[in-house]
Amino acid sequence: MPSWTSIRTETSAAGSTHDVIRRQYIKRLADYTGRNVIVYYSGWLEKATLQAQGLQGFEVNDSDKNGFMATIHEMDRDKGLDLLLHTPGGNVAATESLVDYLKAMFQNVRVIVPQLAMSAGTMIALSASSIVMGKHSSLGPIDPQIGGVAAHGIVEEFQRAHREVREDPGTIPIWQPIIAKYSPTLIGECEKAISWANEMVKRWLMEGMFSGEDDPGQAADRVISELASHALTLSHDRHISLANAQRLGLNVEELEGDPELQDCVLSVHHSCIQTLAETPAFKIIENQNGIASIMAVNLRPA
């Protein structure tokens, strides 16, 4: 007969109703594809108020590596990996480290974007062998962020200030308080971050998605010239649709092309979003075996 302690442990491991339902759908997806599945979901949309109040951790960061290590442990890595990605992006260094780790663990990684994979999330998607998107899915520009501001935007603002002051010194009083908010070394940091992100993504595309092209470098440059150009994308928040991703030559599979896969993916997506909206959880990293790293906010009264 199970003891009180063992039953309590079993109950705790089973999780809430949200956990039970979500894990059921993640396993169903893995059973259908015959591949490993990891969901990486951020609740930046569902908990935007808490983010605005200073809650940290919604973005891609170095602590995520621990969640991936836990979920990948004991997987049959020969099955490859389907990574369901829903994120606003985050730190470039953490993104590089995470992608390098996934590439070391799996020879074939497919990224599935049920809704949004922006900024560093797009960079992760571009490192994959292929991307699955629906008509409702979006990628985004890959220009890096410095202190929450697009690096390209900061560089452009400095260049505009330099040009206008040179042409009309009378604009100095206008530009002085604007430029004063930036540190002296910021422009150099922005330029290095832009170059770093571009070189990183180009290498991933050449080694992965475009490795079979006649000229992988040229194919990669075509993608980077558009997704990394602030002048073309205009906003860091711009959404890149399935059709636009295909136009760029990316290896994109249409989710609607496989109705059963679509049903499995959207069931996982909806269950993850409901968890983020209706529980204290604000980030979920979880595999088809129910192994999870879930970050949650303490909502207890002060």
Side-chain angles (χ1 to χ4, degrees):
M1 177 184 296
S3 66
W4 170 276
T5 302
S6 64
I7 291 178
R8 185 173 185 180
T9 300
E10 183 179 357
T11 302
S12 177
S16 67
T17 302
H18 284 89
D19 294 333
V20 172
I21 299 301
R22 186 182 66 254
R23 290 167 184 170
Q24 168 187 314
Y25 284 122
I26 296 173
K27 186 174 188 308
R28 177 186 166 205
L29 172 59
D31 288 343
Y32 176 70
T33 63
R35 294 166 60 84
N36 293 302
V37 173
I38 294 178
V39 300
Y40 177 87
Y41 263 67
S42 170
W44 88 100
L45 297 175
E46 292 70 33
K47 291 183 168 61
T49 301
L50 293 176
Q51 185 179 30
Q53 293 172 354
L55 180 63
Q56 301 294 311
F58 292 97
E59 76 289 348
V60 178
N61 59 70
D62 281 322
S63 67
D64 293 334
K65 179 77 71 67
N66 294 318
F68 277 91
M69 290 170 65
T71 52
I72 291 172
H73 181 60
E74 294 187 345
M75 275 185 169
D76 179 357
R77 300 203 294 267
D78 290 336
K79 291 183 176 181
L81 174 68
D82 281 343
L83 175 62
L84 272 73
L85 202 55
H86 184 68
T87 175
N91 183 273
V92 173
T95 300
E96 181 180 39
S97 177
L98 180 57
V99 167
D100 286 347
Y101 175 61
L102 291 175
K103 284 180 170 293
M105 293 294 103
F106 301 95
Q107 289 194 354
N108 182 280
V109 177
R110 179 172 67 169
V111 166
I112 301 175
V113 182
Q115 185 179 356
L116 295 170
M118 306 297 285
S119 187
T122 298
M123 293 172 66
I124 295 172
L126 295 177
S127 74
S129 301
S130 63
I131 308 170
V132 178
M133 298 176 66
K135 291 181 171 63
H136 42 76
S137 306
S138 296
L139 302 176
I142 60 173
D143 54 316
Q145 301 280 283
I146 302 290
V149 181
H152 276 278
I154 295 173
V155 171
E156 286 175 3
E157 190 167 51
F158 265 88
Q159 291 174 341
R160 178 182 174 187
H162 180 267
R163 182 176 65 254
E164 292 189 4
V165 168
R166 183 184 59 202
E167 295 173 353
D168 181 5
T171 61
I172 291 177
I174 298 174
W175 280 109
Q176 191 170 27
I178 297 173
I179 300 303
K181 65 186 177 182
Y182 299 132
S183 65
T185 61
L186 185 60
I187 287 294
E189 292 177 9
C190 289
E191 291 173 339
K192 290 175 184 175
I194 293 168
S195 177
W196 181 16
N198 291 353
E199 291 172 3
M200 188 187 312
V201 172
K202 181 174 181 177
R203 171 168 53 86
W204 290 340
L205 286 169
M206 291 176 64
E207 295 173 351
M209 198 175 296
F210 293 153
S211 60
E213 297 279 339
D214 292 336
D215 190 340
Q218 184 180 52
D221 285 338
R222 182 174 64 248
V223 172
I224 293 169
S225 66
E226 183 154 339
L227 293 187
S229 172
H230 198 253
L232 289 176
T233 58
L234 301 180
S235 168
H236 186 75
D237 295 326
R238 187 153 191 182
H239 289 23
I240 310 299
S241 68
L242 162 66
N244 282 331
Q246 290 175 325
R247 177 181 56 79
L248 287 171
L250 297 175
N251 184 12
V252 180
E253 305 172 36
E254 295 187 26
L255 184 61
E256 290 83 1
D258 184 340
E260 183 65 23
L261 178 64
Q262 180 185 28
D263 183 64
C264 289
V265 167
L266 293 184
S267 296
V268 173
H269 174 67
H270 295 322
S271 62
C272 286
I273 293 299
Q274 287 180 19
T275 301
L276 294 168
E278 299 171 10
T279 76
F282 65 87
K283 182 178 281 183
I284 303 168
I285 305 173
E286 187 167 35
N287 69 15
Q288 75 271 14
N289 300 318
I291 306 301
S293 174
I294 299 177
M295 297 182 66
V297 61
N298 184 355
L299 296 177
R300 291 178 298 178

